[in-house]
Amino acid sequence: MNTYLQVAAADASEHRTLIITLFSVFVAATLGVTVWAGRRTKDATDYYAGGRSFSGFQNGLAISGDYMSAASFLGIAGAISLFGYDGFLYSIGFLVAWLVALLLVAEPLRNSGRFTMGDVLAYRMRQRPVRTAAGVSTIVVSIFYLLAQMVGAGALVALLLGVSGDAGKNIIVVLVGVVMILYVTIGGMKGTTWVQMIKACLLIAGTLLITFLVMLKFDFNISTLLGAAAENSGQGAAFLEPGLKYGVSTTTEIDFISLGLALVLGTAGLPHILIRFYTVPTARAARKSVIWAIGIIGAFYLMTIALGFGAAALLSRKEITESDAAGNTAAPLLAQNIGGGADSAGGAILLAVICAVAFATILAVVAGLTLASSSSFAHDLYANVIRKGKASDREEVKAARLSSILIGGVAIVLGIFAGKLNVAFLVALAFAVAASANLPTILYSLFWKRFNTAGSLWSIYGGLSSSVLLVVFSPVVSGNPSAMFPGADFQWFPLNNPGLVSIPLGFLLGWLGTVVSKNEDVDGRKYAELEVRSLTGSGAH
């Protein structure tokens, strides 16, 4: 273990009681909330949609808790601390994406579906094939997103507890997976929503505290902060200008365009965000929840300026990368620094508090993701494809709980292999897959009269397979020291993010599959019904 980590580990051991207490209190409190909510889960509507009992503000807070993940708190702060302006582009992309969700998806999706994206597609098309495709896509996207949370959890708790080596991080990943499975199997949507609301409040409070302390250190002068960050980074003015990461070559410039496209379009196709629109009683509440989410998330992303540039100004690049090569622990290390340093009680307390908040972030998001994927499996695949609509509510909920255990297990295994990747970057990959497979199908189904089953299948499977295939053969997986498999080299796709190729391909395949196949709704009756329902909410569940 290097010198800096030895100091951090020694400091952590001196305050181990505080650290374990904070973690234990949060986990125990949220599990208590989950058990309380689980007792009030009576049927499938309660399990999948929380009984549609949440207000616009409550759901907006829960959406914020679902969206402000480990990527936001750990990955973006780390990316900014290492790459300056280019790292802050993640914050911009994640926030702008909500405009697409608000304007095109939130209200019509709430009106048109019941529990999942598959409900919207099945309204106009052949149920079994489109529900199968929707279920497969939802599970794949959720697992990509889960990877980021698992990696963040491993890096975070390893730093806090002074755990060194891959074995320690792997144990932590397993423990996080077990806790998230408990959240979902016991509490369903009601329990998960309350956990996300609590977590959102904690995250905003923790981020606000660090932002205040950082700005206090620089006399609340943002120019002084940015200047200190640029000087301490060793990059000078280039740290505050575009191009440090994405301006190195033509390939990286194209990669930036691909990343931006994935970030802006991905949110409206994320399964764990889409199912949140079903937890409110009306379309108006769905719209309000997105507006609240934009305000809360926007405030948070503004504060990432203080987190990222503060870490760059007050910590050396060596300190950040020695703790975690991808920069995922920059925010906790910043908290420790402004609390008084690695050898102070104040530093240990602030480090413990911020790590506990980040841990809360991870647990809430993985619960939401696991719920989204297990709901899609149970509702789309089990109830409507395997049982052909004959499954009872009790059978559906049981299938959802069992599938959450299986999906959690897959996420744990993959999270162990992805331990060296930046979590913001991993989430960007999930956004690319969601934007390639889910978004074209949702938009075509809601707004194109001619769209049919073949177009839906071509779009989902084509966008999904192309994005995943390009990721597998990209520098993310092999061919360099920071890849998932650094010892192998089978990359041939030059871009880190596949969005520039796979997203247009998803839209193109949806169009092509439709025009070369038979029109299933010749008189337009089904589309007219869906259009009225999506715009007015008439007949919505």
Side-chain angles (χ1 to χ4, degrees), residues 47 181 184-185 370 374 377-378 382 395-409:
Y47 188 85
I181 290 168
V184 175
T185 54
T370 307
S374 62
F377 174 85
Y382 176 74
E395 288 175 323
E396 267 197 57
V397 172
K398 183 179 179 181
R401 286 175 168 149
L402 290 174
S403 63
S404 70
I405 297 173
L406 177 62
I407 291 163

Side-chain angles (χ1 to χ4, degrees), residues 282-305:
T282 65
R284 184 181 180 187
R287 201 163 52 245
K288 278 187 176 181
S289 64
V290 176
I291 294 171
W292 273 111
I294 289 174
I296 297 168
I297 293 166
F300 171 79
Y301 282 135
L302 280 177
M303 291 188 284
T304 60
I305 297 175

Side-chain angles (χ1 to χ4, degrees), residues 501-515:
V501 175
S502 60
I503 296 173
L505 187 61
F507 278 96
L508 176 63
L509 288 172
W511 170 82
L512 186 60
T514 300
V515 298

Side-chain angles (χ1 to χ4, degrees), residues 341-358:
D343 55 352
S344 69
I349 291 170
L350 206 52
L351 173 67
V353 168
I354 294 306
C355 284
V357 168

Side-chain angles (χ1 to χ4, degrees), residues 96-117:
V96 170
W98 275 103
L99 295 176
V100 179
L102 174 63
L103 296 174
L104 296 178
V105 173
E107 186 176 344
L109 197 74
R110 161 63 188 78
N111 289 339
S112 306
R114 189 178 177 215
F115 298 136
T116 65
M117 178 183 76

Side-chain angles (χ1 to χ4, degrees), residues 385-455:
V385 175
I386 298 173
R387 294 296 307 277
K388 300 179 182 178
K390 296 177 182 178
S392 66
D393 278 7
R394 186 173 181 179
E395 288 175 323
E396 267 197 57
V397 172
K398 183 179 179 181
R401 286 175 168 149
L402 290 174
S403 63
S404 70
I405 297 173
L406 177 62
I407 291 163
V410 172
I412 289 169
V413 173
L414 293 178
I416 289 171
F417 285 104
K420 295 182 180 180
L421 300 177
N422 179 278
V423 290
F425 174 72
L426 279 170
V427 165
L429 293 182
F431 273 55
V433 178
S436 304
N438 294 349
L439 185 61
T441 313
I442 292 170
L443 294 183
Y444 280 148
S445 186
L446 290 172
F447 302 112
W448 187 18
K449 183 178 179 179
R450 174 73 169 79
F451 194 51
N452 59 18
T453 302

Side-chain angles (χ1 to χ4, degrees), residues 153-155 157-159 161-175:
V157 184
L159 168 73
L161 299 181
V163 174
S164 61
D166 292 337
K169 289 185 178 182
N170 293 345
I171 293 171
I172 292 163
V173 166
V174 173
L175 292 176

Side-chain angles (χ1 to χ4, degrees), residues 207-299:
T207 309
L208 195 59
L209 174 63
I210 299 300
T211 299
F212 175 79
L213 293 175
V214 169
M215 295 310 297
L216 181 65
K217 211 170 186 71
F218 293 95
D219 300 321
F220 295 94
N221 189 321
I222 190 71
S223 296
T224 305
L225 168 62
L226 295 177
E231 183 179 352
N232 195 50
S233 71
Q235 303 289 339
F239 193 71
L240 305 178
E241 297 172 355
L244 196 59
K245 181 177 182 179
Y246 293 108
V248 178
S249 64
T250 303
T251 300
T252 57
E253 290 173 353
I254 296 172
D255 211 1
F256 165 67
I257 297 171
S258 188
L259 170 68
L261 194 63
L263 293 182
V264 171
L265 297 179
T267 295
L270 290 174
H272 68 300
I273 298 299
L274 296 178
I275 65 169
R276 292 236 55 91
F277 299 136
Y278 299 123
T279 63
V280 291
T282 65
R284 184 181 180 187
R287 201 163 52 245
K288 278 187 176 181
S289 64
V290 176
I291 294 171
W292 273 111
I294 289 174
I296 297 168
I297 293 166

